[in-house]
């Protein structure tokens, strides 16, 4: 049985690897990709999503453009990490597949209304998903689950001392989604910082001898440079592919059901994910918060699947 998914994303090199992993996995039926502003502005994220589909040999995947800014705040981007295009590293050609007509939020609404058991895979700020839930509350109960990359507790933040980028960009959207009442699995920095792009791991992609393998290695070579300098590690954390890997091999991960709230009132701690790991409040659990990963198993899955792409 295949699992129907929508990928909501702001590519970003790590988003690109997540998309490649999904498109290489027959267990997943990618109904569409919705782009949101985040790592770079919307005009680039929707183009980058199409570039990755074409790299994977999947120009049939519909790509929609969504929100160009957060719900209530000015857009913050991360070219200092991802480069001016968002996909700096390889020289990927301009996409020839069309951007779909219509708005990503409407695509999410229409798709959930016409399909059962759809999982939302959130790789960027949660603006599109929150807008869809607010515009069409009837779709919320039709969501099978939401798997998102964002937040952090034990690792702190990567954009402010307490806030991770995806949540910081649109904390109001994140709080809306986390309170939706549907099953949510969260891949925070506590997990993704265990998945370092070491030289040996990057070399395994290049050794595939394919255009996808070479492009992936080039993406990661560029992407890791910022975090290597920041953290002093061999390689940088690979964030978003954990969302897709969890759907494919959840046994690679460990976590627990906890309550999680998002700070939206304080500029000092804006976007902080207040994760009640130790159960010190009586607030009900709303998130499966993942804390541990078999990093070697994660990279083995990535290499094995990406080897199937051209």
């Amino acid at each position: 049985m295949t699992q129907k998914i929508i990928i909501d994303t702001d590519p970003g090199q790590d988003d690109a690897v997540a998309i490649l992993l999904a498109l290489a996995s027959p267990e997943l039926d990618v109904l569409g990709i919705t782009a949101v502003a985040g790592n770079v502005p919307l005009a680039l994220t929707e183009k980058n999503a199409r570039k990755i589909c074409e790299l994977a040999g999947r120009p049939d995947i519909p790509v929609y453009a969504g929100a160009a800014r957060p719900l209530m705040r000015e857009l913050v981007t991360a070219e200092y990490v991802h480069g001016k295009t968002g996909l700096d590293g390889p020289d990927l050609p301009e996409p020839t597949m069309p951007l779909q007509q219509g708005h990503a939020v409407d695509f999410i609404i229409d798709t959930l209304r016409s399909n059962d058991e759809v999982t939302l895979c959130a790789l960027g700020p949660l603006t599109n998903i929150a807008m869809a839930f607010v515009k069409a509350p009837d779709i919320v109960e039709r969501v099978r689950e939401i798997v998102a990359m964002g937040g952090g507790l034990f690792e702190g933040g990567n954009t402010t001392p307490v806030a991770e980028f995806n949540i910081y960009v649109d904390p109001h959207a994140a709080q809306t989604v986390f309170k939706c009442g549907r099953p949510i699995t969260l891949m925070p920095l506590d997990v993704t910082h265990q998945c370092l792009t070491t030289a040996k791991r990057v070399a395994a992609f290049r050794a595939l001898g394919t255009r996808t393998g070479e492009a992936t290695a080039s993406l990661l070579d560029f992407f890791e440079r910022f975090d290597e300098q920041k953290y002093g590690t061999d390689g940088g954390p690979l964030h978003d592919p954990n969302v897709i890997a969890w759907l494919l091999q959840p046994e690679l991960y460990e976590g627990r059901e906890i309550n999680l709230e998002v700070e939206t009132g304080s500029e000092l701690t804006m976007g902080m994910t207040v994760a009640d790991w130790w159960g010190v409040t009586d607030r009900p659990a709303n998130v499966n918060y993942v804390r541990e990963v078999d990093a070697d198993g994660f990279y083995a899955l990535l290499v094995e699947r990406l080897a199937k792409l051209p």
Side-chain angles (χ1 to χ4, degrees):
M1 293 291 292
T2 58
Q3 185 171 349
K4 299 175 183 177
I5 68 171
I6 295 172
I7 299 175
D8 190 64
T9 181
D10 62 336
Q13 289 89 351
D14 56 328
D15 305 71
V17 178
I19 293 169
L20 291 172
L21 177 59
L23 296 180
S25 299
E27 305 97 317
L28 302 178
D29 179 8
V30 182
L31 302 179
I33 296 175
T34 51
V36 65
N39 286 323
V40 287
L42 181 66
L44 291 174
T45 61
E46 59 87 351
K47 179 191 292 186
N48 290 347
R50 290 184 288 142
K51 285 183 177 182
I52 296 304
C53 288
E54 292 190 350
L55 174 64
R58 293 296 306 276
D60 57 300
I61 301 294
V63 176
Y64 291 83
R69 52 159 294 166
L71 296 180
M72 299 177 64
R73 294 170 60 80
E74 294 300 316
L75 177 64
V76 175
T77 56
E79 288 89 350
Y80 59 93
V81 176
H82 298 276
K84 64 180 181 180
T85 70
L87 291 183
D88 281 22
D91 185 16
L92 297 177
E94 291 294 297
T96 59
M97 62 183 282
L99 181 68
Q100 297 297 307
Q101 297 296 312
H103 197 281
V105 169
D106 295 320
F107 169 76
I108 293 171
I109 293 170
D110 293 343
T111 302
L112 287 169
R113 283 175 173 169
S114 58
N115 289 271
D116 294 325
E117 298 288 294
V118 175
T119 294
L120 302 179
C121 299
L123 312 181
L126 289 158
T127 316
N128 284 339
I129 296 173
M131 288 176 66
F133 287 178
V134 171
K135 184 176 181 180
D138 61 286
I139 68 171
V140 175
E141 64 181 18
R142 299 187 63 84
V143 175
R144 175 180 179 176
E145 64 179 323
I146 300 165
V147 187
M149 188 276 136
L153 173 59
F154 303 98
E155 286 287 323
N158 63 357
T159 300
T160 76
V162 296
E164 177 274 332
F165 178 81
N166 286 343
I167 308 300
Y168 180 76
V169 170
D170 200 340
H172 301 89
Q175 181 73 332
T176 296
V177 172
F178 291 146
K179 286 182 170 293
C180 74
R182 300 305 297 153
I184 298 173
T185 293
L186 189 66
M187 294 290 166
L189 297 179
D190 306 308
V191 162
T192 66
H193 278 201
Q194 298 173 42
C195 298
L196 296 179
T197 59
T198 63
K200 182 178 179 180
R201 288 168 173 167
V202 173
F205 293 110
R206 188 164 276 120
L208 293 175
T210 63
R211 72 182 187 195
T212 298
E214 178 60 36
T216 299
S218 296
L219 286 167
L220 297 183
D221 281 341
F222 184 91
F223 180 58
E224 69 184 6
R225 90 217 181 284
F226 176 82
D227 285 326
E228 283 183 328
Q229 182 177 5
K230 180 179 179 181
Y231 298 113
T233 53
D234 175 13
L238 188 57
H239 307 288
D240 294 329
N242 282 279
V243 169
I244 306 301
W246 189 85
L247 293 177
L248 298 171
Q249 292 187 8
E251 65 273 14
L252 295 174
Y253 298 91
E254 294 182 9
R256 67 170 72 157
E257 297 284 336
I258 68 167
N259 178 268
L260 185 138
E261 309 287 335
V262 180
E263 176 59 57
T264 59
S266 164
E267 283 300 326
L268 180 64
T269 56
M270 181 67 67
M272 179 181 182
T273 45
V274 184
D276 187 9
W277 180 260
W278 301 113
V280 298
T281 74
D282 59 2
R283 294 192 293 264
N286 61 339
V287 166
N288 174 29
Y289 191 96
V290 181
R291 186 177 174 184
E292 300 291 340
V293 60
D294 174 356
D296 287 337
F298 166 74
Y299 275 97
L301 173 65
L302 282 176
V303 173
E304 181 258 323
R305 292 304 173 90
L306 266 58
K308 299 178 180 181
L309 297 176

